[in-house]
Amino acid sequence: MQTILNQSAWWLKPLKETLESLEVKTSGLDSEEVEKRRKQFGANQFVDHKEKPIWKQLLVRFRNPLILLLLFASVISAFMGEISNFIIISILVLFSVLLDFIQEHKAGKAADSLRHSVSVQATVVRDGNTINIPVSQVVPGDLVLLSAGDLIPADGRVLETNDFFVKQSLLTGETYPVEKHPGELKELSNDITDASSAVFMGTTVISGSAKVLIVNTGANTAMGAISDSLAIKPPQNSFELGTQKFGILILRMTVLLVLFVLLVNAILHKPWLDSFLFAVALAVGLTPELLPMVISVTLSRGALLMAKKRVIVKQLSSIQNLGSMDTLCTDKTGTLTEAKIKLERHIDLTGEPSDRVLELAYLNSFFETGLKSPLDEAILEHEEIDVSLWNKIDEVPFDFERRRVSVLLDHSEKKNRILVVKGAPEEIIRLCTHFETEKGTIQLIDLEAKKKIHSVYTSLETQGFRVLGIAWREETKELTHAVVGDESELILSGFAAFLDPPKESAKIALSSLNEIGITVKIITGDSELVTQHVCSELKMPVLGVLTGREIDSIDDSALSFIVESTNLFCRMNPSQKNRIILALKHRGHVVGYLGDGVNDAPSLHSADVGLSVDSGVDVAKEAADMILLDHDLSVLYEGVMEGRRTFGNIMKYIMMGTSSNFGNMFSMAGAALFLPFLPMLPTQILLNNFLYDISEIPIPLDEVDKEELKIPRIMDITFIRNFMLTIGPISSAFDFLTFYVMLVVLKANETLFQTGWFVESLCTQVLVIFIIRTRGNPIKSRPHRLLAIVSISIAAIGAILPFTKLGTYFGLVPPPMEFYAILASMVVIYLIVVETAKRIFYRFHSRK
C-alpha cells in the first residue's frame, strides 16, 4: 500500500488517487488487511499507550530522590565495610517499592478495565459488514459511517453525505457548523477551513449522516499535529490541589527536621556516615510514601464498587470530587422527568386543535437529519401523516444559538416550495410577521395578535407543557439552498405541546441529595414556566430563576453573586451553561454537571466532575469523568456516598501520616540534642517504617462512619495541620516518656534504648489507627476485620522481633519483661489521651 500520510493538505489529492493509494473496496477492509495496517500505523491515538514491561514500570518507582539517596548511602556503607547495613537497607527499600508497586499496579488494571467498558465506539464497514469498534482500532482505509452526535474518529475524505454538518471549532475556531460535501474542491487551498470535502479527528457531527474514508489516524491527523497544544491540563480540582498542598507541607517539615538533625550531629561530632544515613532514613520515615498507593487502591476499589451500582468511572480522581461535590447542575429531561415525552396538543393561535400544525411539525421532524430529540420522536409517532408527495431540498440544521431547525421541501403537486421552521416559541415568534388562522387565511401580526399569541403559549407552559413554535414561508422553485437568512418574515401556524411527567424516583432522590448537603440546580433550555411546574410537582423549592437573556446582560462578577441564590437557569445555550459552572466554581463550590448532549461538552469539561449517561452522544461521554448506566439521580446518590467513603479512607491515612508518624520523627530529631548516640539506627527506622506501611494496606477496605457521609468534605490543609499540631505532640510526649523509662528506670545502654524505642514507636503509631479512623467512639465504630488483624499482628511482630535472629541483624536486643509491662500501660494511656484530645479537637473545630 502506498502511503499518502503525513502529507499536508492531503484533501487536495484527487479522490480516485486517494482510493487507489489506500486500496479501498466497497466492502471495506478485511481482517488480514486491518491487522497489517494496525502494525504499520499503530493505534489511533496521539500517544502510544502501549503498556511498558513490568520491569520498566517497577524501575520508575526508584526515581524517588529519597530512595535513590538511601541506596547511594548504602553503597557508601558497603565500600566502608558495613556490608550488613548495605544488605538490610537494600532489602527494605526493595520490599517497600515492591509493596507500593504491586498494590498500585493491581488497582490500575482494575480501573483500566472499567474505562475500556465505556470507550467511544466507531461504526465501520469491514468484510462487507457494519460493526462497532473502539475508536483506537480505526485504521487508514476504513470506511466509517457517521451520524448526528458522533465524534469523528480520524481524518478522512467524505464519500457520501446527507445534509452533513460538522462543528470543527476545536481546530478552526469557527462558531457555526460547516457543511461537508463529497467530491473535489473547486478552489485548491491548504487551509483546513476550506477543506469542505474532508473531516478531521475530534470534531463533532451536528446533523446529517455520511460515509467517510479514513486517510490519517493518530499522531498523523491534524489534531495529532497540534495535540501538545491541545493537551493543556484542565485546572486542578479540589482533590489534586489538596494532595499537592499536603505534599508541600510534608516536604517543608522534612527539610527542616533533616537539616536540624544534620546540624546537631555535626556539632556533637557524631560519625558523619551514620548521621547522614540517619537523616535520610528520617526523611523516608516522614514522607508518606504509601500515599500514592493508598489513594490509587482506595480509588480503584471505589470505582469497582461504583460499577456495581451502575456508575462507570473513567477518571479515578473524580471519585473523590464526586464525594466532595456540594452543588449538582443538571438538565431536567430524563433526570427529573421520565423522558417519555408525548405530543399532547397541536393547536392554532386560538387554542383549537389543528391538523395543519401537526402536519408541518411532522414534515420538519421527518426530514430533519440532525440528532433526533425526544420531541421529534414524539411527533413522529403520528404516522398517519402522509409524506409520499414531499421531497426534501435542503436543511438549515439545529444549533443551540438559534434554537430552531428548518427544512426546505418541495411538493410534487404544488408550484412553490415551502420552508418549515420548528423551534423555541419565543425564537419562532420573533421571526414571524404574519400568522395563519384556523380557516387558512394569512393575517399580519399586530399588537393585539402578539398579546393573544403570547397568552396561548405561556398558558401551555404554565400547565407544564413543553412548547414548540411551528412556522413556515413559501419559496420559489429557484431556491435550492436554504440559509439562516431565509428564516425571516415567517408565518406562524401554531404550537405543538408536549408532556414529560416527573419521575417518581426523582422526588426521593432530590430529598436524599439535599439531606447529604448537595444543592441541585437545574440548567435547561426549556422555559422557566415549564421548569417551575416540574419543580412544584417534585416539591422542589424555587429559590430564584435566571434566563439566558438575563445572563447575557450581566458580567461574570455579578453572575458569581447571583448563582448562589438561584437554582433554576432556563432557556440556556451551551456558553451560558458553561458560565454558570465557572461562576459556581469561582465561589468555591465543588461542582458536578450531568449532561448527555452535544451542547453539554463545554460544561462537562469545566465542572469538577462531569457526568454523562450511557445513552448520551459520543462527545458528551468522551468529555465526562463518569458514565451513569441509568439516567437516574438515585444512581448518582449511591455514587456520591461511595465517593465520600473513598475520601474518608484516604483521609485516615493522611491523618495518621501527619500525627503519630510526625510525632515519632520529631522525637527522633529532639533526641539527637541530648543523646550521645543515634536514638534509632537508620536500618531500624526503615524497618519500623516498612512494618508500619504494611499495617496501613487494609485501610482502603475499612468502613466509614455514617456521620462522615452526611456532608461533602474537601481536603483542607489547615485542618490537617491543626490536627497534626494537636495529636503529634502527644506522640512525642510519650516518646520522651519512653526515653525516661529506658535511660532512668531501666538504665538502658545504646542498643537496649534503640530497641525499646523501636518497639514503643511501632506499637503506638500502628495502634492509634483505631482512634484516628473515626471521629466518634472507637469502641462503637468497628474497623474492617483485616485492618484489625493486620494492625494488631504488626504490633505483636514489633514486640517479638527483638527475641528473634532477624532482630539481631537490625541491632535489636531482648528487653527485660518489666519493659513490656510498662509499655502496655503506656500504650493504653496513650490511646486514651489521644482519644480525649481528638474529641476536644473536633469539638472546637468546624467539620471539614
Side-chain angles (χ1 to χ4, degrees), residues 505-527:
S505 61
K507 187 186 297 183
I508 300 170
L510 285 171
S511 176
S512 300
L513 289 171
N514 184 60
E515 287 175 4
I516 59 173
I518 295 177
T519 300
V520 177
K521 296 181 183 288
I522 299 175
I523 306 179
T524 178
D526 281 350
S527 80

PDB file of all heavy atoms in Angstrom, residues 505-527:
ATOM      1  N   SER A 505     -39.147   8.595  41.239  1.00  0.00           N
ATOM      2  CA  SER A 505     -37.898   8.412  41.988  1.00  0.00           C
ATOM      3  C   SER A 505     -37.149   9.724  42.181  1.00  0.00           C
ATOM      4  O   SER A 505     -36.334   9.855  43.099  1.00  0.00           O
ATOM      5  CB  SER A 505     -36.986   7.416  41.266  1.00  0.00           C
ATOM      6  OG  SER A 505     -36.647   7.906  39.972  1.00  0.00           O
ATOM      7  N   ALA A 506     -37.413  10.718  41.296  1.00  0.00           N
ATOM      8  CA  ALA A 506     -36.673  11.979  41.370  1.00  0.00           C
ATOM      9  C   ALA A 506     -36.975  12.740  42.646  1.00  0.00           C
ATOM     10  O   ALA A 506     -36.094  13.375  43.235  1.00  0.00           O
ATOM     11  CB  ALA A 506     -36.996  12.847  40.159  1.00  0.00           C
ATOM     12  N   LYS A 507     -38.232  12.680  43.109  1.00  0.00           N
ATOM     13  CA  LYS A 507     -38.607  13.394  44.328  1.00  0.00           C
ATOM     14  C   LYS A 507     -37.823  12.851  45.521  1.00  0.00           C
ATOM     15  O   LYS A 507     -37.287  13.608  46.334  1.00  0.00           O
ATOM     16  CB  LYS A 507     -40.105  13.237  44.573  1.00  0.00           C
ATOM     17  CG  LYS A 507     -40.637  14.087  45.725  1.00  0.00           C
ATOM     18  CD  LYS A 507     -42.103  13.782  46.028  1.00  0.00           C
ATOM     19  CE  LYS A 507     -42.981  14.112  44.850  1.00  0.00           C
ATOM     20  NZ  LYS A 507     -44.435  13.882  45.166  1.00  0.00           N
ATOM     21  N   ILE A 508     -37.708  11.529  45.593  1.00  0.00           N
ATOM     22  CA  ILE A 508     -36.953  10.895  46.685  1.00  0.00           C
ATOM     23  C   ILE A 508     -35.473  11.213  46.558  1.00  0.00           C
ATOM     24  O   ILE A 508     -34.794  11.527  47.542  1.00  0.00           O
ATOM     25  CB  ILE A 508     -37.174   9.365  46.670  1.00  0.00           C
ATOM     26  CG1 ILE A 508     -38.663   9.045  46.842  1.00  0.00           C
ATOM     27  CG2 ILE A 508     -36.346   8.678  47.743  1.00  0.00           C
ATOM     28  CD1 ILE A 508     -39.017   7.598  46.602  1.00  0.00           C
ATOM     29  N   ALA A 509     -34.958  11.148  45.317  1.00  0.00           N
ATOM     30  CA  ALA A 509     -33.528  11.398  45.098  1.00  0.00           C
ATOM     31  C   ALA A 509     -33.159  12.831  45.448  1.00  0.00           C
ATOM     32  O   ALA A 509     -32.120  13.085  46.066  1.00  0.00           O
ATOM     33  CB  ALA A 509     -33.169  11.092  43.645  1.00  0.00           C
ATOM     34  N   LEU A 510     -34.003  13.807  45.059  1.00  0.00           N
ATOM     35  CA  LEU A 510     -33.735  15.207  45.389  1.00  0.00           C
ATOM     36  C   LEU A 510     -33.695  15.418  46.891  1.00  0.00           C
ATOM     37  O   LEU A 510     -32.839  16.134  47.416  1.00  0.00           O
ATOM     38  CB  LEU A 510     -34.802  16.107  44.759  1.00  0.00           C
ATOM     39  CG  LEU A 510     -34.703  16.336  43.250  1.00  0.00           C
ATOM     40  CD1 LEU A 510     -35.941  17.055  42.741  1.00  0.00           C
ATOM     41  CD2 LEU A 510     -33.456  17.134  42.908  1.00  0.00           C
ATOM     42  N   SER A 511     -34.635  14.784  47.584  1.00  0.00           N
ATOM     43  CA  SER A 511     -34.663  14.887  49.047  1.00  0.00           C
ATOM     44  C   SER A 511     -33.421  14.266  49.655  1.00  0.00           C
ATOM     45  O   SER A 511     -32.812  14.827  50.583  1.00  0.00           O
ATOM     46  CB  SER A 511     -35.922  14.196  49.584  1.00  0.00           C
ATOM     47  OG  SER A 511     -35.936  14.191  50.991  1.00  0.00           O
ATOM     48  N   SER A 512     -32.992  13.120  49.106  1.00  0.00           N
ATOM     49  CA  SER A 512     -31.807  12.429  49.624  1.00  0.00           C
ATOM     50  C   SER A 512     -30.544  13.255  49.402  1.00  0.00           C
ATOM     51  O   SER A 512     -29.696  13.359  50.286  1.00  0.00           O
ATOM     52  CB  SER A 512     -31.656  11.059  48.961  1.00  0.00           C
ATOM     53  OG  SER A 512     -32.781  10.250  49.206  1.00  0.00           O
ATOM     54  N   LEU A 513     -30.410  13.850  48.213  1.00  0.00           N
ATOM     55  CA  LEU A 513     -29.240  14.677  47.920  1.00  0.00           C
ATOM     56  C   LEU A 513     -29.204  15.908  48.818  1.00  0.00           C
ATOM     57  O   LEU A 513     -28.140  16.317  49.293  1.00  0.00           O
ATOM     58  CB  LEU A 513     -29.251  15.102  46.449  1.00  0.00           C
ATOM     59  CG  LEU A 513     -28.973  13.991  45.424  1.00  0.00           C
ATOM     60  CD1 LEU A 513     -29.221  14.500  44.010  1.00  0.00           C
ATOM     61  CD2 LEU A 513     -27.556  13.471  45.549  1.00  0.00           C
ATOM     62  N   ASN A 514     -30.372  16.487  49.073  1.00  0.00           N
ATOM     63  CA  ASN A 514     -30.443  17.651  49.960  1.00  0.00           C
ATOM     64  C   ASN A 514     -30.019  17.292  51.381  1.00  0.00           C
ATOM     65  O   ASN A 514     -29.325  18.059  52.061  1.00  0.00           O
ATOM     66  CB  ASN A 514     -31.868  18.210  49.955  1.00  0.00           C
ATOM     67  CG  ASN A 514     -31.989  19.476  50.781  1.00  0.00           C
ATOM     68  OD1 ASN A 514     -31.329  20.476  50.523  1.00  0.00           O
ATOM     69  ND2 ASN A 514     -32.818  19.438  51.808  1.00  0.00           N
ATOM     70  N   GLU A 515     -30.411  16.095  51.821  1.00  0.00           N
ATOM     71  CA  GLU A 515     -30.075  15.653  53.180  1.00  0.00           C
ATOM     72  C   GLU A 515     -28.576  15.446  53.363  1.00  0.00           C
ATOM     73  O   GLU A 515     -28.067  15.557  54.479  1.00  0.00           O
ATOM     74  CB  GLU A 515     -30.813  14.351  53.507  1.00  0.00           C
ATOM     75  CG  GLU A 515     -32.309  14.548  53.756  1.00  0.00           C
ATOM     76  CD  GLU A 515     -33.022  13.221  53.959  1.00  0.00           C
ATOM     77  OE1 GLU A 515     -32.329  12.170  53.975  1.00  0.00           O
ATOM     78  OE2 GLU A 515     -34.256  13.231  54.101  1.00  0.00           O
ATOM     79  N   ILE A 516     -27.861  15.143  52.282  1.00  0.00           N
ATOM     80  CA  ILE A 516     -26.411  14.932  52.410  1.00  0.00           C
ATOM     81  C   ILE A 516     -25.620  16.161  51.937  1.00  0.00           C
ATOM     82  O   ILE A 516     -24.451  16.062  51.598  1.00  0.00           O
ATOM     83  CB  ILE A 516     -25.951  13.669  51.646  1.00  0.00           C
ATOM     84  CG1 ILE A 516     -26.288  13.768  50.157  1.00  0.00           C
ATOM     85  CG2 ILE A 516     -26.574  12.418  52.257  1.00  0.00           C
ATOM     86  CD1 ILE A 516     -25.701  12.633  49.321  1.00  0.00           C
ATOM     87  N   GLY A 517     -26.294  17.310  51.937  1.00  0.00           N
ATOM     88  CA  GLY A 517     -25.586  18.569  51.713  1.00  0.00           C
ATOM     89  C   GLY A 517     -25.314  18.949  50.284  1.00  0.00           C
ATOM     90  O   GLY A 517     -24.411  19.743  50.013  1.00  0.00           O
ATOM     91  N   ILE A 518     -26.067  18.386  49.320  1.00  0.00           N
ATOM     92  CA  ILE A 518     -25.856  18.720  47.908  1.00  0.00           C
ATOM     93  C   ILE A 518     -27.010  19.583  47.406  1.00  0.00           C
ATOM     94  O   ILE A 518     -28.177  19.191  47.493  1.00  0.00           O
ATOM     95  CB  ILE A 518     -25.732  17.455  47.043  1.00  0.00           C
ATOM     96  CG1 ILE A 518     -24.485  16.674  47.443  1.00  0.00           C
ATOM     97  CG2 ILE A 518     -25.677  17.810  45.563  1.00  0.00           C
ATOM     98  CD1 ILE A 518     -24.309  15.377  46.697  1.00  0.00           C
ATOM     99  N   THR A 519     -26.670  20.748  46.897  1.00  0.00           N
ATOM    100  CA  THR A 519     -27.661  21.652  46.306  1.00  0.00           C
ATOM    101  C   THR A 519     -27.812  21.318  44.825  1.00  0.00           C
ATOM    102  O   THR A 519     -26.821  21.267  44.090  1.00  0.00           O
ATOM    103  CB  THR A 519     -27.210  23.119  46.445  1.00  0.00           C
ATOM    104  OG1 THR A 519     -27.056  23.428  47.831  1.00  0.00           O
ATOM    105  CG2 THR A 519     -28.227  24.056  45.831  1.00  0.00           C
ATOM    106  N   VAL A 520     -29.049  21.060  44.403  1.00  0.00           N
ATOM    107  CA  VAL A 520     -29.306  20.751  42.995  1.00  0.00           C
ATOM    108  C   VAL A 520     -29.785  22.009  42.290  1.00  0.00           C
ATOM    109  O   VAL A 520     -30.710  22.682  42.744  1.00  0.00           O
ATOM    110  CB  VAL A 520     -30.364  19.633  42.855  1.00  0.00           C
ATOM    111  CG1 VAL A 520     -30.673  19.371  41.383  1.00  0.00           C
ATOM    112  CG2 VAL A 520     -29.879  18.352  43.521  1.00  0.00           C
ATOM    113  N   LYS A 521     -29.117  22.338  41.183  1.00  0.00           N
ATOM    114  CA  LYS A 521     -29.503  23.473  40.351  1.00  0.00           C
ATOM    115  C   LYS A 521     -29.842  22.948  38.957  1.00  0.00           C
ATOM    116  O   LYS A 521     -29.087  22.155  38.390  1.00  0.00           O
ATOM    117  CB  LYS A 521     -28.381  24.507  40.286  1.00  0.00           C
ATOM    118  CG  LYS A 521     -28.068  25.156  41.647  1.00  0.00           C
ATOM    119  CD  LYS A 521     -26.977  26.201  41.545  1.00  0.00           C
ATOM    120  CE  LYS A 521     -26.616  26.776  42.895  1.00  0.00           C
ATOM    121  NZ  LYS A 521     -27.639  27.673  43.452  1.00  0.00           N
ATOM    122  N   ILE A 522     -30.979  23.388  38.441  1.00  0.00           N
ATOM    123  CA  ILE A 522     -31.425  22.927  37.125  1.00  0.00           C
ATOM    124  C   ILE A 522     -30.986  23.927  36.061  1.00  0.00           C
ATOM    125  O   ILE A 522     -31.258  25.124  36.173  1.00  0.00           O
ATOM    126  CB  ILE A 522     -32.956  22.763  37.091  1.00  0.00           C
ATOM    127  CG1 ILE A 522     -33.393  21.713  38.121  1.00  0.00           C
ATOM    128  CG2 ILE A 522     -33.423  22.362  35.703  1.00  0.00           C
ATOM    129  CD1 ILE A 522     -34.895  21.574  38.248  1.00  0.00           C
ATOM    130  N   ILE A 523     -30.268  23.429  35.060  1.00  0.00           N
ATOM    131  CA  ILE A 523     -29.856  24.254  33.919  1.00  0.00           C
ATOM    132  C   ILE A 523     -30.475  23.628  32.673  1.00  0.00           C
ATOM    133  O   ILE A 523     -30.123  22.506  32.294  1.00  0.00           O
ATOM    134  CB  ILE A 523     -28.322  24.311  33.780  1.00  0.00           C
ATOM    135  CG1 ILE A 523     -27.676  24.775  35.093  1.00  0.00           C
ATOM    136  CG2 ILE A 523     -27.923  25.224  32.642  1.00  0.00           C
ATOM    137  CD1 ILE A 523     -26.159  24.844  35.045  1.00  0.00           C
ATOM    138  N   THR A 524     -31.401  24.328  32.045  1.00  0.00           N
ATOM    139  CA  THR A 524     -32.163  23.725  30.965  1.00  0.00           C
ATOM    140  C   THR A 524     -32.406  24.716  29.829  1.00  0.00           C
ATOM    141  O   THR A 524     -32.350  25.933  30.029  1.00  0.00           O
ATOM    142  CB  THR A 524     -33.522  23.206  31.502  1.00  0.00           C
ATOM    143  OG1 THR A 524     -34.285  22.652  30.438  1.00  0.00           O
ATOM    144  CG2 THR A 524     -34.315  24.326  32.148  1.00  0.00           C
ATOM    145  N   GLY A 525     -32.664  24.176  28.662  1.00  0.00           N
ATOM    146  CA  GLY A 525     -33.048  25.008  27.535  1.00  0.00           C
ATOM    147  C   GLY A 525     -34.533  25.310  27.529  1.00  0.00           C
ATOM    148  O   GLY A 525     -35.010  26.134  26.753  1.00  0.00           O
ATOM    149  N   ASP A 526     -35.307  24.636  28.405  1.00  0.00           N
ATOM    150  CA  ASP A 526     -36.753  24.854  28.466  1.00  0.00           C
ATOM    151  C   ASP A 526     -37.092  26.194  29.111  1.00  0.00           C
ATOM    152  O   ASP A 526     -36.251  26.838  29.749  1.00  0.00           O
ATOM    153  CB  ASP A 526     -37.408  23.738  29.277  1.00  0.00           C
ATOM    154  CG  ASP A 526     -37.562  22.470  28.457  1.00  0.00           C
ATOM    155  OD1 ASP A 526     -37.334  22.534  27.248  1.00  0.00           O
ATOM    156  OD2 ASP A 526     -37.896  21.424  29.040  1.00  0.00           O
ATOM    157  N   SER A 527     -38.348  26.560  29.010  1.00  0.00           N
ATOM    158  CA  SER A 527     -38.798  27.830  29.578  1.00  0.00           C
ATOM    159  C   SER A 527     -38.889  27.750  31.089  1.00  0.00           C
ATOM    160  O   SER A 527     -38.995  26.667  31.678  1.00  0.00           O
ATOM    161  CB  SER A 527     -40.166  28.209  29.007  1.00  0.00           C
ATOM    162  OG  SER A 527     -41.193  27.497  29.675  1.00  0.00           O
TER     163      SER A 527
END
